[in-house]
Coordinates of all heavy atoms in Angstrom, one line a residue:
R1 N -5.2 3.6 4.7 CA -6.1 2.7 4.1 C -6.9 3.4 3.0 O -7.3 2.8 2.0 CB -7.0 2.2 5.2 CG -8.0 1.2 4.7 CD -8.9 0.7 5.8 NE -10.1 1.5 5.8 CZ -11.1 1.3 6.6 NH1 -10.9 0.4 7.6 NH2 -12.2 2.0 6.5
D2 N -7.2 4.7 3.1 CA -8.0 5.4 2.1 C -7.2 6.1 1.1 O -7.7 6.8 0.2 CB -8.9 6.4 2.8 CG -10.0 5.7 3.7 OD1 -10.4 4.6 3.3 OD2 -10.3 6.2 4.7
A3 N -5.8 6.0 1.1 CA -5.0 6.7 0.2 C -5.2 6.2 -1.2 O -5.4 5.0 -1.4 CB -3.5 6.6 0.6
R4 N -5.2 7.1 -2.2 CA -5.3 6.7 -3.6 C -3.9 6.7 -4.2 O -3.7 6.0 -5.2 CB -6.2 7.7 -4.3 CG -7.6 7.6 -3.9 CD -8.5 8.5 -4.6 NE -8.2 9.9 -4.3 CZ -8.6 10.9 -4.9 NH1 -9.4 10.8 -5.9 NH2 -8.2 12.1 -4.5
L5 N -2.9 7.4 -3.6 CA -1.6 7.5 -4.1 C -0.6 7.5 -2.9 O -0.8 8.3 -2.0 CB -1.3 8.8 -5.0 CG 0.1 9.1 -5.4 CD1 0.6 8.0 -6.3 CD2 0.2 10.5 -6.0
I6 N 0.4 6.6 -3.0 CA 1.4 6.6 -1.9 C 2.7 6.7 -2.6 O 3.1 6.0 -3.6 CB 1.3 5.2 -1.2 CG1 0.0 5.0 -0.5 CG2 2.5 5.1 -0.2 CD1 -0.3 3.6 0.0
V7 N 3.5 7.7 -2.2 CA 4.9 7.9 -2.7 C 5.8 7.8 -1.5 O 5.6 8.5 -0.5 CB 5.0 9.3 -3.3 CG1 6.4 9.6 -3.8 CG2 4.0 9.5 -4.4
G8 N 6.9 7.0 -1.7 CA 7.8 6.9 -0.6 C 9.1 6.2 -1.0 O 9.2 5.5 -2.0
A9 N 10.1 6.5 -0.1 CA 11.4 5.9 -0.3 C 11.4 4.4 0.1 O 10.6 4.1 1.0 CB 12.5 6.6 0.5
H10 N 12.1 3.6 -0.6 CA 12.2 2.2 -0.3 C 12.5 2.1 1.2 O 13.5 2.7 1.7 CB 13.3 1.5 -1.1 CG 13.5 0.1 -0.7 ND1 12.7 -0.9 -1.1 CD2 14.5 -0.5 0.0 CE1 13.1 -2.1 -0.7 NE2 14.2 -1.8 0.0
G11 N 11.7 1.3 1.9 CA 12.0 1.1 3.4 C 10.7 0.5 4.0 O 9.7 0.3 3.4
A12 N 10.9 0.1 5.3 CA 9.8 -0.6 6.0 C 8.5 0.1 6.1 O 7.5 -0.6 6.1 CB 10.3 -0.9 7.4
G13 N 8.5 1.4 6.0 CA 7.2 2.2 6.1 C 6.3 1.8 4.9 O 5.1 1.9 5.1
L14 N 6.8 1.3 3.8 CA 5.9 1.0 2.7 C 5.2 -0.3 2.9 O 4.3 -0.7 2.2 CB 6.8 0.8 1.4 CG 7.4 2.2 0.9 CD1 8.1 1.9 -0.4 CD2 6.3 3.2 0.7
A15 N 5.5 -1.1 4.0 CA 4.8 -2.3 4.3 C 3.3 -2.0 4.6 O 2.5 -2.9 4.5 CB 5.4 -3.0 5.5
N16 N 3.0 -0.8 4.9 CA 1.6 -0.4 5.2 C 0.7 -0.5 4.0 O -0.5 -0.4 4.1 CB 1.6 1.0 5.8 CG 2.1 1.0 7.2 OD1 1.8 0.1 8.0 ND2 2.9 2.0 7.5
I17 N 1.3 -0.7 2.8 CA 0.4 -0.9 1.6 C -0.4 -2.2 1.8 O -1.3 -2.3 1.0 CB 1.2 -0.8 0.3 CG1 2.2 -2.0 0.2 CG2 1.9 0.5 0.1 CD1 2.7 -2.2 -1.2
A18 N 0.0 -3.0 2.7 CA -0.8 -4.2 2.9 C -2.2 -3.9 3.3 O -3.1 -4.7 3.1 CB -0.2 -5.0 4.1
F19 N -2.5 -2.6 3.8 CA -3.8 -2.2 4.1 C -4.5 -1.4 3.1 O -5.6 -0.8 3.3 CB -3.7 -1.4 5.5 CG -3.1 -2.2 6.6 CD1 -1.8 -2.0 6.9 CD2 -3.8 -3.3 7.2 CE1 -1.2 -2.7 7.9 CE2 -3.2 -4.0 8.2 CZ -1.9 -3.7 8.6
S20 N -3.8 -1.2 1.9 CA -4.3 -0.4 0.8 C -5.5 -1.1 0.1 O -5.6 -2.3 0.1 CB -3.2 -0.1 -0.2 OG -2.2 0.7 0.4
R21 N -6.3 -0.3 -0.5 CA -7.4 -0.8 -1.3 C -6.9 -1.1 -2.7 O -6.0 -0.4 -3.2 CB -8.5 0.2 -1.4 CG -9.1 0.5 0.0 CD -10.1 1.7 -0.1 NE -10.5 2.1 1.2 CZ -11.7 2.1 1.7 NH1 -12.7 1.9 0.9 NH2 -11.9 2.5 2.9
P22 N -7.5 -2.1 -3.3 CA -7.1 -2.4 -4.7 C -7.4 -1.1 -5.6 O -8.3 -0.4 -5.3 CB -8.1 -3.5 -5.1 CG -8.4 -4.2 -3.8 CD -8.5 -3.1 -2.8
G23 N -6.4 -0.8 -6.5 CA -6.5 0.3 -7.3 C -5.7 1.5 -6.8 O -5.4 2.5 -7.5
T24 N -5.2 1.4 -5.6 CA -4.3 2.4 -5.0 C -3.0 2.4 -5.9 O -2.7 1.4 -6.5 CB -3.9 2.1 -3.6 OG1 -5.1 2.1 -2.8 CG2 -2.9 3.1 -3.0
V25 N -2.3 3.5 -6.0 CA -1.0 3.6 -6.7 C 0.1 3.7 -5.7 O 0.0 4.6 -4.8 CB -1.0 4.8 -7.7 CG1 0.4 4.9 -8.3 CG2 -2.1 4.6 -8.8
L26 N 1.1 2.9 -5.8 CA 2.4 3.0 -5.1 C 3.5 3.5 -6.0 O 3.7 2.8 -7.0 CB 2.7 1.7 -4.4 CG 4.1 1.7 -3.7 CD1 4.2 2.7 -2.6 CD2 4.4 0.3 -3.2
Y27 N 4.2 4.5 -5.7 CA 5.3 5.0 -6.4 C 6.5 4.9 -5.5 O 6.6 5.7 -4.5 CB 5.1 6.4 -6.9 CG 6.3 7.0 -7.6 CD1 7.2 6.3 -8.4 CD2 6.5 8.4 -7.5 CE1 8.2 6.9 -9.1 CE2 7.5 9.0 -8.2 CZ 8.4 8.3 -8.9 OH 9.5 8.9 -9.6
E28 N 7.4 4.0 -5.7 CA 8.5 3.7 -4.8 C 9.8 4.4 -5.4 O 10.1 4.2 -6.5 CB 8.7 2.2 -4.6 CG 9.8 1.9 -3.7 CD 9.9 0.4 -3.4 OE1 9.3 -0.4 -4.1 OE2 10.6 0.0 -2.5
L29 N 10.6 5.0 -4.5 CA 11.8 5.7 -4.8 C 13.0 4.8 -4.3 O 13.0 4.6 -3.1 CB 11.9 7.1 -4.3 CG 10.7 8.0 -4.5 CD1 10.8 9.3 -3.8 CD2 10.4 8.2 -6.0
F30 N 13.9 4.4 -5.2 CA 15.0 3.5 -4.8 C 16.3 4.2 -4.9 O 16.6 4.9 -5.9 CB 15.1 2.4 -5.8 CG 14.2 1.2 -5.5 CD1 13.1 1.0 -6.4 CD2 14.4 0.3 -4.5 CE1 12.3 -0.1 -6.2 CE2 13.6 -0.8 -4.3 CZ 12.5 -1.0 -5.2
P31 N 17.2 4.0 -3.9 CA 18.6 4.3 -4.1 C 19.2 3.2 -5.0 O 18.7 2.1 -5.0 CB 19.2 4.3 -2.7 CG 18.3 3.4 -1.9 CD 17.0 3.5 -2.5
S32 N 20.1 3.5 -5.8 CA 20.7 2.6 -6.8 C 21.1 1.3 -6.2 O 20.9 0.2 -6.8 CB 21.8 3.2 -7.6 OG 22.8 3.7 -6.7
F33 N 21.6 1.2 -5.0 CA 22.1 0.0 -4.5 C 21.0 -0.9 -4.0 O 21.2 -2.1 -3.7 CB 23.1 0.2 -3.3 CG 22.5 0.8 -2.1 CD1 21.8 0.0 -1.1 CD2 22.6 2.2 -1.8 CE1 21.3 0.6 0.0 CE2 22.1 2.7 -0.7 CZ 21.4 1.9 0.2
A34 N 19.7 -0.4 -3.8 CA 18.6 -1.2 -3.3 C 17.7 -1.6 -4.4 O 16.6 -2.3 -4.1 CB 17.9 -0.5 -2.2
A35 N 17.9 -1.3 -5.6 CA 17.0 -1.5 -6.7 C 16.6 -2.9 -7.0 O 15.5 -3.2 -7.6 CB 17.5 -0.9 -8.0
A36 N 17.4 -3.9 -6.5 CA 17.1 -5.3 -6.8 C 16.2 -5.9 -5.7 O 16.1 -7.1 -5.6 CB 18.4 -6.1 -6.9
R37 N 15.6 -5.1 -4.9 CA 14.7 -5.6 -3.8 C 13.3 -5.3 -4.1 O 12.7 -4.3 -3.9 CB 15.1 -4.8 -2.5 CG 16.6 -5.0 -2.1 CD 17.0 -4.2 -0.9 NE 18.4 -4.4 -0.6 CZ 19.0 -3.7 0.2 NH1 18.4 -2.8 0.9 NH2 20.3 -4.0 0.5
P38 N 12.6 -6.4 -4.6 CA 11.2 -6.2 -5.1 C 10.1 -6.4 -4.1 O 9.0 -6.6 -4.4 CB 11.2 -7.3 -6.2 CG 12.0 -8.4 -5.6 CD 13.1 -7.7 -5.0
Y39 N 10.4 -6.3 -2.8 CA 9.5 -6.6 -1.8 C 8.1 -5.9 -1.9 O 7.1 -6.6 -1.8 CB 10.0 -6.3 -0.4 CG 11.5 -6.7 -0.2 CD1 12.4 -5.8 0.3 CD2 11.9 -8.0 -0.4 CE1 13.7 -6.2 0.5 CE2 13.2 -8.4 -0.2 CZ 14.1 -7.5 0.3 OH 15.4 -7.8 0.5
Y40 N 8.2 -4.6 -2.1 CA 6.9 -3.9 -2.2 C 6.2 -4.0 -3.5 O 4.9 -3.9 -3.5 CB 7.1 -2.4 -1.8 CG 7.8 -2.4 -0.4 CD1 9.1 -2.1 -0.3 CD2 7.1 -2.9 0.7 CE1 9.7 -2.1 1.0 CE2 7.7 -2.9 2.0 CZ 9.0 -2.6 2.1 OH 9.7 -2.6 3.3
N41 N 6.9 -4.4 -4.5 CA 6.3 -4.7 -5.8 C 5.4 -6.0 -5.6 O 4.3 -6.0 -6.1 CB 7.3 -4.8 -6.9 CG 6.7 -5.0 -8.3 OD1 5.5 -5.1 -8.5 ND2 7.6 -5.1 -9.3
I42 N 6.0 -6.9 -5.0 CA 5.3 -8.2 -4.8 C 4.1 -8.0 -3.9 O 3.0 -8.5 -4.2 CB 6.3 -9.3 -4.2 CG1 7.4 -9.6 -5.2 CG2 5.6 -10.5 -3.7 CD1 8.6 -10.4 -4.6
L43 N 4.3 -7.3 -2.8 CA 3.2 -7.0 -1.9 C 2.1 -6.2 -2.7 O 0.9 -6.5 -2.5 CB 3.6 -6.2 -0.7 CG 2.6 -5.9 0.4 CD1 1.9 -7.1 0.9 CD2 3.3 -5.1 1.5
A44 N 2.5 -5.2 -3.5 CA 1.5 -4.4 -4.2 C 0.7 -5.3 -5.2 O -0.5 -5.2 -5.3 CB 2.2 -3.3 -5.0
Q45 N 1.4 -6.2 -5.9 CA 0.7 -7.1 -6.8 C -0.4 -8.0 -6.0 O -1.5 -8.2 -6.5 CB 1.7 -8.0 -7.5 CG 2.5 -7.3 -8.5 CD 3.5 -8.2 -9.2 OE1 3.2 -9.4 -9.5 NE2 4.7 -7.8 -9.4
G46 N 0.0 -8.4 -4.9 CA -0.9 -9.3 -4.1 C -2.1 -8.5 -3.6 O -3.2 -9.1 -3.3
R47 N -2.0 -7.2 -3.5 CA -3.1 -6.3 -3.0 C -3.9 -5.7 -4.1 O -4.9 -5.0 -3.8 CB -2.6 -5.3 -2.0 CG -2.0 -5.8 -0.7 CD -3.1 -6.3 0.2 NE -4.1 -5.4 0.4 CZ -5.4 -5.7 0.7 NH1 -5.7 -6.9 0.8 NH2 -6.3 -4.7 0.9
G48 N -3.5 -5.8 -5.3 CA -4.1 -5.1 -6.4 C -3.8 -3.7 -6.5 O -4.5 -2.8 -7.0
V49 N -2.6 -3.3 -6.0 CA -2.1 -2.0 -6.0 C -1.2 -1.8 -7.3 O -0.4 -2.6 -7.6 CB -1.2 -1.7 -4.7 CG1 -0.5 -0.4 -4.8 CG2 -2.1 -1.8 -3.5
H50 N -1.4 -0.6 -8.0 CA -0.6 -0.3 -9.2 C 0.8 0.2 -8.7 O 0.9 1.1 -7.9 CB -1.3 0.8 -10.0 CG -2.7 0.4 -10.4 ND1 -2.9 -0.6 -11.4 CD2 -3.9 0.8 -10.0 CE1 -4.2 -0.7 -11.5 NE2 -4.8 0.1 -10.7
Y51 N 1.8 -0.5 -9.2 CA 3.2 -0.2 -8.7 C 4.0 0.5 -9.8 O 4.0 0.2 -11.0 CB 3.8 -1.6 -8.4 CG 5.2 -1.4 -7.9 CD1 5.5 -1.1 -6.6 CD2 6.3 -1.5 -8.8 CE1 6.8 -1.0 -6.1 CE2 7.6 -1.4 -8.3 CZ 7.8 -1.1 -7.0 OH 9.1 -1.0 -6.5
W52 N 4.6 1.6 -9.3 CA 5.6 2.4 -10.1 C 6.9 2.5 -9.3 O 6.8 2.6 -8.1 CB 5.0 3.8 -10.4 CG 3.8 3.8 -11.3 CD1 2.6 3.4 -11.0 CD2 3.8 4.3 -12.6 NE1 1.7 3.6 -12.0 CE2 2.4 4.1 -13.0 CE3 4.7 4.8 -13.5 CZ2 2.0 4.5 -14.3 CZ3 4.3 5.2 -14.7 CH2 2.9 5.1 -15.1
A53 N 8.0 2.6 -10.0 CA 9.3 2.8 -9.2 C 10.3 3.5 -10.1 O 10.2 3.4 -11.3 CB 9.8 1.5 -8.7
D54 N 11.2 4.2 -9.5 CA 12.3 4.8 -10.2 C 13.6 4.7 -9.3 O 13.4 4.6 -8.1 CB 12.1 6.3 -10.5 CG 11.3 6.5 -11.7 OD1 11.6 5.9 -12.7 OD2 10.3 7.3 -11.6
V55 N 14.7 4.5 -9.9 CA 16.0 4.4 -9.2 C 16.8 5.7 -9.3 O 16.9 6.2 -10.4 CB 16.8 3.2 -9.9 CG1 18.1 3.0 -9.2 CG2 16.0 1.9 -9.8
F56 N 17.4 6.1 -8.2 CA 18.2 7.3 -8.2 C 19.6 7.0 -7.7 O 19.8 6.1 -7.0 CB 17.5 8.3 -7.2 CG 16.1 8.7 -7.7 CD1 15.0 8.0 -7.2 CD2 15.9 9.7 -8.6 CE1 13.7 8.3 -7.7 CE2 14.6 10.0 -9.0 CZ 13.5 9.3 -8.6
D57 N 20.5 7.8 -8.2 CA 21.9 7.6 -7.9 C 22.3 7.8 -6.5 O 21.7 8.6 -5.7 CB 22.8 8.7 -8.7 CG 23.0 8.3 -10.1 OD1 22.8 7.1 -10.5 OD2 23.3 9.2 -10.9
C58 N 23.2 6.9 -6.1 CA 23.8 7.0 -4.8 C 25.3 7.1 -5.1 O 26.0 6.0 -5.2 CB 23.4 5.8 -3.9 SG 24.0 5.8 -2.3
P59 N 25.8 8.3 -5.2 CA 27.2 8.4 -5.6 C 28.2 7.9 -4.6 O 28.0 7.9 -3.4 CB 27.4 9.9 -5.8 CG 26.3 10.5 -5.0 CD 25.2 9.6 -4.9
A60 N 29.3 7.3 -5.2 CA 30.4 6.9 -4.4 C 31.0 8.1 -3.7 O 31.0 9.2 -4.2 CB 31.5 6.2 -5.2
P61 N 31.6 7.9 -2.5 CA 31.8 6.7 -1.8 C 30.6 6.3 -0.9 O 30.6 5.3 -0.2 CB 33.0 7.0 -0.9 CG 32.9 8.5 -0.6 CD 32.3 9.1 -1.8
A62 N 29.5 7.1 -0.9 CA 28.4 6.8 0.1 C 27.8 5.4 -0.1 O 27.5 4.8 0.9 CB 27.3 7.9 -0.2
C63 N 27.7 5.0 -1.3 CA 27.1 3.6 -1.5 C 28.1 2.5 -1.6 O 27.8 1.4 -1.5 CB 26.3 3.6 -2.8 SG 24.7 4.5 -2.5
V64 N 29.4 2.9 -1.7 CA 30.4 1.9 -1.7 C 30.7 1.4 -0.3 O 31.0 0.3 -0.1 CB 31.7 2.5 -2.4 CG1 32.9 1.5 -2.2 CG2 31.5 2.8 -3.8
T65 N 30.6 2.3 0.6 CA 31.0 2.0 2.0 C 29.8 1.5 2.9 O 30.0 1.0 3.9 CB 31.6 3.3 2.7 OG1 30.6 4.3 2.7 CG2 32.9 3.7 2.0
T66 N 28.6 1.7 2.4 CA 27.4 1.2 3.2 C 26.3 0.7 2.2 O 26.2 1.1 1.1 CB 26.9 2.4 4.0 OG1 25.8 1.8 4.8 CG2 26.4 3.5 3.2
Q67 N 25.6 -0.2 2.8 CA 24.4 -0.7 2.1 C 23.2 -0.3 3.0 O 22.1 -0.9 2.8 CB 24.5 -2.2 1.8 CG 25.6 -2.5 0.8 CD 25.3 -1.9 -0.6 OE1 24.3 -2.3 -1.2 NE2 26.2 -1.1 -1.0
S68 N 23.3 0.6 3.9 CA 22.3 1.0 4.8 C 21.5 2.2 4.3 O 22.1 3.2 3.9 CB 22.9 1.3 6.2 OG 21.9 1.9 7.0
L69 N 20.2 2.1 4.2 CA 19.4 3.2 3.7 C 19.5 4.4 4.7 O 19.5 5.5 4.2 CB 17.9 2.8 3.7 CG 17.5 1.9 2.5 CD1 16.1 1.4 2.6 CD2 17.7 2.7 1.2
R70 N 19.7 4.1 5.9 CA 19.9 5.2 6.9 C 21.2 6.0 6.7 O 21.2 7.2 6.9 CB 19.8 4.7 8.3 CG 18.4 4.2 8.7 CD 18.4 3.7 10.1 NE 17.2 2.9 10.3 CZ 17.0 2.0 11.1 NH1 18.0 1.7 11.9 NH2 15.9 1.3 11.2
A71 N 22.2 5.3 6.4 CA 23.6 5.9 6.3 C 23.9 6.5 4.9 O 24.6 7.4 4.8 CB 24.6 4.9 6.7
A72 N 23.3 5.9 3.9 CA 23.6 6.3 2.5 C 23.0 7.7 2.2 O 21.9 8.0 2.7 CB 23.1 5.3 1.5
R73 N 23.7 8.4 1.4 CA 23.2 9.7 0.9 C 23.0 9.6 -0.6 O 23.9 9.7 -1.4 CB 24.2 10.8 1.2 CG 24.4 10.8 2.7 CD 25.0 12.1 3.1 NE 25.2 11.9 4.6 CZ 25.3 12.9 5.4 NH1 25.3 14.1 5.0 NH2 25.3 12.7 6.7
W74 N 21.7 9.4 -0.9 CA 21.4 9.3 -2.3 C 20.5 10.5 -2.7 O 20.0 11.2 -1.9 CB 20.7 8.0 -2.6 CG 19.5 7.6 -1.7 CD1 19.6 7.2 -0.4 CD2 18.2 7.5 -2.1 NE1 18.3 6.9 0.0 CE2 17.4 7.1 -1.0 CE3 17.5 7.7 -3.3 CZ2 16.1 6.9 -1.0 CZ3 16.1 7.6 -3.3 CH2 15.4 7.1 -2.1
Q75 N 20.5 10.7 -4.0 CA 19.9 12.0 -4.5 C 18.7 11.6 -5.3 O 18.7 10.8 -6.2 CB 20.9 12.8 -5.3 CG 22.1 13.1 -4.5 CD 23.2 13.7 -5.4 OE1 23.1 13.7 -6.6 NE2 24.3 14.1 -4.7
V76 N 17.5 12.3 -5.0 CA 16.3 12.1 -5.8 C 16.2 13.3 -6.8 O 16.3 14.4 -6.4 CB 15.1 12.1 -4.8 CG1 13.8 12.1 -5.6 CG2 15.2 10.9 -3.9
D77 N 16.0 12.9 -8.0 CA 15.8 13.9 -9.1 C 14.3 14.4 -9.1 O 13.4 13.7 -9.5 CB 16.1 13.3 -10.4 CG 15.9 14.2 -11.6 OD1 15.3 15.3 -11.5 OD2 16.4 13.9 -12.7
L78 N 14.0 15.5 -8.5 CA 12.7 16.0 -8.3 C 12.0 16.3 -9.6 O 10.7 16.1 -9.7 CB 12.6 17.2 -7.4 CG 13.1 16.9 -5.9 CD1 13.0 18.2 -5.1 CD2 12.2 15.8 -5.3
S79 N 12.7 16.6 -10.6 CA 12.1 16.8 -11.9 C 11.5 15.5 -12.5 O 10.5 15.5 -13.1 CB 13.0 17.5 -12.9 OG 14.1 16.7 -13.2
L80 N 12.3 14.4 -12.3 CA 11.8 13.1 -12.7 C 10.6 12.7 -11.9 O 9.6 12.2 -12.5 CB 12.9 12.1 -12.6 CG 12.5 10.6 -12.8 CD1 11.9 10.4 -14.2 CD2 13.6 9.7 -12.6
V81 N 10.6 12.9 -10.6 CA 9.4 12.6 -9.8 C 8.2 13.4 -10.3 O 7.1 12.8 -10.4 CB 9.7 12.9 -8.3 CG1 8.5 12.8 -7.4 CG2 10.8 12.0 -7.7
D82 N 8.4 14.6 -10.6 CA 7.3 15.5 -11.1 C 6.7 14.9 -12.4 O 5.5 14.8 -12.5 CB 7.7 16.9 -11.2 CG 6.6 17.8 -11.6 OD1 5.6 17.8 -10.9 OD2 6.8 18.6 -12.6
R83 N 7.6 14.5 -13.3 CA 7.2 14.0 -14.6 C 6.5 12.6 -14.4 O 5.4 12.4 -15.0 CB 8.4 13.8 -15.5 CG 8.9 15.1 -16.1 CD 9.9 14.8 -17.2 NE 10.9 13.9 -16.9 CZ 12.1 14.2 -16.4 NH1 12.4 15.4 -16.0 NH2 13.0 13.2 -16.2
R84 N 7.0 11.8 -13.5 CA 6.4 10.5 -13.2 C 5.0 10.7 -12.6 O 4.1 10.0 -13.0 CB 7.3 9.7 -12.3 CG 6.8 8.3 -12.2 CD 7.0 7.4 -13.4 NE 8.4 7.2 -13.6 CZ 8.9 7.2 -14.8 NH1 8.3 7.3 -15.9 NH2 10.2 7.0 -14.9
L85 N 4.9 11.6 -11.7 CA 3.6 11.8 -11.1 C 2.5 12.3 -12.1 O 1.4 11.9 -12.0 CB 3.7 12.8 -9.9 CG 4.4 12.2 -8.6 CD1 4.6 13.3 -7.6 CD2 3.6 11.0 -8.1
S86 N 3.0 13.1 -13.0 CA 2.1 13.6 -14.1 C 1.7 12.4 -15.0 O 0.5 12.2 -15.4 CB 2.8 14.6 -15.0 OG 3.1 15.8 -14.2
E87 N 2.6 11.5 -15.3 CA 2.3 10.3 -16.1 C 1.4 9.4 -15.3 O 0.4 8.8 -15.9 CB 3.6 9.5 -16.4 CG 3.5 8.3 -17.3 CD 4.8 7.6 -17.6 OE1 5.8 8.1 -17.2 OE2 4.7 6.6 -18.2
I88 N 1.6 9.2 -14.0 CA 0.7 8.4 -13.2 C -0.7 9.0 -13.2 O -1.7 8.3 -13.4 CB 1.2 8.3 -11.8 CG1 2.4 7.4 -11.8 CG2 0.1 7.7 -10.9 CD1 3.2 7.4 -10.4
A89 N -0.9 10.3 -13.1 CA -2.2 11.0 -13.1 C -2.9 10.8 -14.4 O -4.1 10.6 -14.4 CB -2.0 12.5 -12.8
V90 N -2.2 10.8 -15.5 CA -2.8 10.6 -16.8 C -3.4 9.2 -17.0 O -4.4 9.0 -17.6 CB -1.8 10.9 -18.0 CG1 -2.3 10.5 -19.3 CG2 -1.5 12.4 -18.0
R91 N -2.7 8.2 -16.4 CA -3.1 6.8 -16.6 C -4.2 6.4 -15.6 O -4.7 5.3 -15.7 CB -1.9 5.9 -16.4 CG -0.9 6.1 -17.6 CD 0.1 5.1 -17.5 NE 1.1 5.3 -18.6 CZ 1.7 4.4 -19.2 NH1 1.5 3.1 -18.9 NH2 2.5 4.6 -20.2
R92 N -4.5 7.2 -14.7 CA -5.5 6.9 -13.7 C -6.9 7.0 -14.2 O -7.6 7.5 -14.7 CB -5.4 7.7 -12.4 CG -4.2 7.2 -11.6 CD -4.2 7.6 -10.2 NE -5.5 7.3 -9.5 CZ -5.8 6.3 -8.8 NH1 -4.9 5.4 -8.6 NH2 -6.9 6.2 -8.2

C-alpha cells in the first residue's frame, strides 16, 4: 500500500495494485505472448497509478507450445529494465 514503485512480471500478483495510492508507478514486464492482456493497465488507470510496460521475447518453441506463464521461458533484457527505470525516475 505504501509502495511508490512496483515492478513485476505479468501475473496475478499485480492485482495488489488495487490497494496502491494514486501516484504510485507500476512497471509491468510482459512475455511476448501475453502482451495483449491489458488487465493491470486498466486497474492502474482506475486507481490513479502511473503505468509503464515492456514486452520481452519468448523464443520458440517455449511460447509456441504453451501459453502458460508458469511453463514458458521468456527472457528479460535487464539493460532495458535499467534504462526504463532511469526514465521513470526522471519523470517522477
